[in-house]
Amino acid sequence: MADPKGFMTTPRQDWPRRPVEERVRDWDEVYVPGALLPIISKQADRCMDCGIPFCHEACPLGNLIPEWNDLVSREDWRAAADRLHATNNFPEYTGRLCPAPCESGCVLAINQPAVTIKNVEVAIADRAWELGFTPPRPPDRLSGRTVAVIGSGPTGLAAAQQLTRAGHTVAVYEKDDRLGGLMRYGIPEFKMEKHHLERRIEQMRAEGTKFRTSTAVGRDIGAAELRSRYDAVVIATGATAWRELDVPGRELSGIHQAMEYLPLANRVCEGDLAVSPLSAAGKHVVIVGGGDTGADCLGTAVREGAASVTQLDIYAQPGGERDEDVDPWPTYPKIYRLSAAHEEAGELRTAPAANADARLFAASTLRFTGDADGHVRSLHLVEVDAQRRPVPDTGRTLPADLVLLALGFSGPDKEDGLIDQLGLELEPRGTLTRDARFATNVPGVFAAGDAARGQSLIVWAIAEGRAVAAAVDRHLTGSSRLPAPIGPYDRPMVV
Ligand SMILES: Cc1cc2nc3c(=O)[nH]c(=O)nc-3n(C[C@H](O)[C@H](O)[C@H](O)COP(=O)(O)OP(=O)(O)OC[C@H]3O[C@@H](n4cnc5c(N)ncnc54)[C@H](O)[C@@H]3O)c2cc1C
Ligand code: SF4
């Protein structure tokens, strides 16, 4: 660290967000462009080089955080980019989208605001692109082995890049028309602009990875045929089988799953549609589900011009501080967090003024009622206690012309036929069965990411993609020098 007293002299400063009234009028990322670079070296200098970096342990990728904090504090961007890319294929994605469990584990966070680790990560990633430190890295020679990766989300892309760089010939099959999985069709533009995807995909193409879009394995190409054509297959198809809300009135029109709604807004940003057919413009919107997917619906509905918006969370509102008895440091605590989208509802919210945002906590949906045309018009709810028992006399009705269900996902989608055609076994909870080496019950077929782990995070998807690549490389060649942040071949560092 350039300044050993940095953590005492410099207060935490986050990448500033643009004013709410400005950013809700566009789809661009919420942060002030160019405002991170001038502050980030001093922020990195707050890292006190504590000696036992719990942040590094808390990051599923094993990112070398104290090392790159030091390099950024000295403005050695090339070395910082090298150390960052040693453990993370796509730091511009995690630097924008990760909930940053590393910061909960920061030693400084015991009694002070943590180092802005995620901001340092994204600054390095963006600077590396600007300064040309991210060239394609094609393999020196080819192995003659072939791998099919099914799914182009962060898991599939990370696995494909690692395996290509190891010399294998890799083809990624994607059923959507564009690459990126939920980062493309799901996560809104205001959280991550899609040009970040294009740039990496170009890098991967230049390294030799092949991409086959609009090809659903199981439907457009037989899964068994694919298996016979390749030496190994990686299934990285995500967990997009959504959970339902089985209450009276669910059949009314105007009630949609979040993942029916969000991709249409993505398509508007891509220029495929002028207006989303499910646009929230002028509508009273209620989002059922208090998680991040619900927050993405909220930010999208606000930008589309909703008349009002409310997000329902079945859990009670958490406290603002870590409860040391429940979530002691350095774990990731359940606390009240205000995402960028939650700041944006403003006067559109129908939730009580006690909340700073549009969420109603401890709220359980009882039923929907509609108009004579069968369109939803109201949502009826009741407050619940910690055991989800209704609290007497707390029933209320919200206006609802558009209801979005964001209740989570149970496992991989089975409709394409891929799972049946290969005869893959499933866990009782619906995810793909695999062993510690990422192998499924079918020889030569591996599974990783949300499809096997269940609904998770980008950082875990990249970690799984890297780890499954090491397992496949070992399967094909008998050994592997690829780093694997998780699993039996745990070798997080590459020098
Ligand atoms: C709305 C939303 C917002 C989120 N926001 C965040 C966030 O801010 N931060 C964060 O860390 N995580 C977030 N997540 C979670 C994160 O996006 C996922 O954990 C991650 O994308 C999983 O990666 P994956 O590659 O395993 O699967 P996915 O990203 O789901 O990709 C799977 C891909 O496989 C393709 N596919 C499926 N079946 C087939 C087939 N038969 N043939 C060919 N292709 C197929 C799909 O079309 C898809 O492109 C969010 C999730 C959602 C739904
Ligand atoms: S990937 Fe997430 S946990 Fe890891 S360093 Fe980046 S923000 Fe922290």
Side-chain angles (χ1 to χ4, degrees):
M1 69 204 134
D3 177 6
K5 292 188 181 165
F7 69 97
M8 293 193 280
T9 54
T10 306
R12 177 179 167 121
Q13 195 180 353
D14 285 281
W15 188 359
R17 293 172 183 160
R18 294 187 288 135
V20 168
E21 54 281 7
E22 176 193 313
R23 67 188 200 231
V24 297
R25 291 201 298 267
D26 62 48
W27 293 94
D28 298 346
E29 284 177 12
V30 296
Y31 297 102
V32 180
L36 183 58
L37 195 58
I39 62 171
I40 204 64
S41 292
K42 291 290 278 178
Q43 290 301 305
D45 226 357
R46 293 183 69 239
C47 178
M48 59 176 143
D49 197 12
C50 56
I52 304 177
F54 290 87
C55 57
H56 164 80
E57 184 68 25
C59 172
L61 285 161
N63 274 349
L64 306 169
I65 298 162
E67 288 187 34
W68 35 259
N69 277 338
D70 179 51
L71 293 163
V72 170
S73 77
R74 298 169 197 280
E75 303 201 11
D76 185 347
W77 293 103
R78 182 182 287 277
D82 286 348
R83 298 317 280 152
L84 180 54
H85 285 96
T87 57
N88 189 352
N89 297 65
F90 312 126
E92 63 274 30
Y93 307 160
T94 44
R96 286 179 167 79
L97 299 169
C98 187
C102 54
E103 294 188 17
S104 303
C106 175
V107 169
L108 204 53
I110 295 174
N111 65 352
Q112 283 192 49
V115 175
T116 55
I117 298 170
K118 176 174 156 173
N119 284 180
V120 177
E121 181 174 34
V122 77
I124 303 170
D126 287 357
R127 200 86 182 115
W129 281 107
E130 278 165 32
L131 299 174
F133 299 155
T134 325
R137 286 174 39 205
D140 295 334
R141 57 195 171 91
L142 295 177
S143 68
R145 304 301 178 101
T146 57
V147 184
V149 174
I150 310 176
S152 71
T155 307
L157 291 181
Q161 186 165 58
Q162 293 295 94
L163 286 163
T164 302
R165 287 177 172 178
H168 306 302
T169 301
V170 181
V172 178
Y173 288 81
E174 170 53 58
K175 71 175 169 184
D176 273 327
D177 56 344
R178 292 188 180 90
L179 301 162
L182 290 173
M183 297 188 299
R184 171 78 66 179
Y185 294 126
I187 292 175
E189 192 87 2
F190 57 82
K191 275 171 60 178
M192 189 178 82
E193 292 168 11
K194 307 307 170 197
H195 60 83
H196 299 295
L197 287 174
E198 308 307 346
R199 207 159 47 176
R200 277 293 171 191
I201 290 161
E202 276 317 301
Q203 181 197 40
M204 291 180 65
R205 279 190 214 279
E207 290 169 353
T209 307
K210 309 271 183 271
F211 294 101
R212 313 261 184 270
T213 50
S214 304
T215 309
V217 178
R219 197 179 61 218
D220 301 320
I221 176 170
E225 183 199 332
L226 195 81
R227 190 184 155 222
S228 66
R229 275 171 43 189
Y230 289 87
D231 295 318
V233 174
V234 175
I235 301 179
T237 49
T240 48
W242 52 57
R243 296 210 176 91
E244 257 306 334
L245 181 64
D246 201 10
V247 298
R250 169 63 183 93
E251 72 288 352
L252 292 166
S253 63
I255 304 176
H256 301 277
Q257 287 285 347
M259 282 305 292
E260 294 174 307
Y261 170 74
L262 289 171
L264 292 168
N266 294 129
R267 286 195 179 278
V268 170
C269 294
E270 295 278 4
D272 296 348
L273 297 169
V275 179
S276 165
L278 298 184
S279 171
K283 294 178 184 163
H284 295 289
V285 179
V286 183
I287 300 153
V288 184
D292 291 343
T293 302
D296 289 351
C297 292
L298 196 157
T300 302
V302 169
R303 281 165 181 74
E304 288 177 339
S308 75
V309 59
T310 307
Q311 184 181 2
L312 306 183
D313 192 331
I314 200 153
Y315 295 103
Q317 180 168 339
E321 298 290 329
R322 179 195 285 280
D323 182 340
E324 285 293 344
D325 294 331
V326 182
D327 297 314
W329 178 89
T331 59
Y332 188 74
K334 186 168 172 55
I335 56 171
Y336 177 79
R337 292 184 171 86
L338 197 66
S339 72
H342 289 129
E343 288 175 344
E344 292 166 357
E347 297 308 310
L348 296 179
R349 66 174 187 255
T350 46
N355 287 339
D357 59 62
R359 276 174 290 186
L360 264 183
F361 289 93
S364 177
T365 305
L366 295 175
R367 65 184 192 284
F368 303 106
T369 48
D371 59 21
D373 296 330
H375 193 96
V376 67
R377 293 295 171 213
S378 306
L379 179 149
H380 307 268
L381 62 88
V382 69
E383 202 178 301
V384 288
D385 64 16
Q387 282 72 44
R388 301 202 183 169
R389 292 173 305 213
V391 177
D393 304 323
T394 58
R396 58 186 290 193
T397 299
L398 297 176
D401 310 314
L402 175 64
V403 175
L404 300 171
L405 305 178
L407 301 161
F409 305 91
S410 58
D413 194 340
K414 298 174 190 70
E415 289 192 358
D416 299 318
L418 163 69
I419 293 172
D420 285 346
Q421 289 173 22
L422 285 177
L424 293 167
E425 286 173 6
L426 296 173
E427 296 294 310
R429 64 188 181 128
T431 52
L432 292 173
T433 299
R434 60 168 181 192
D435 66 15
R437 288 166 175 72
F438 299 87
T440 67
N441 58 304
V442 180
V445 178
F446 296 76
D450 280 13
R453 153 177 215 98
Q455 172 191 7
S456 186
L457 295 170
I458 307 279
V459 62
W460 275 110
I462 300 172
E464 292 238 344
R466 290 170 69 83
V468 77
V472 171
D473 190 31
R474 186 173 288 255
H475 168 77
L476 293 175
T477 66
S479 67
S480 179
R481 289 183 53 76
L482 288 176
I486 48 177
Y489 316 120
D490 187 348
R491 283 203 319 133
M493 286 182 42
V494 93
V495 184

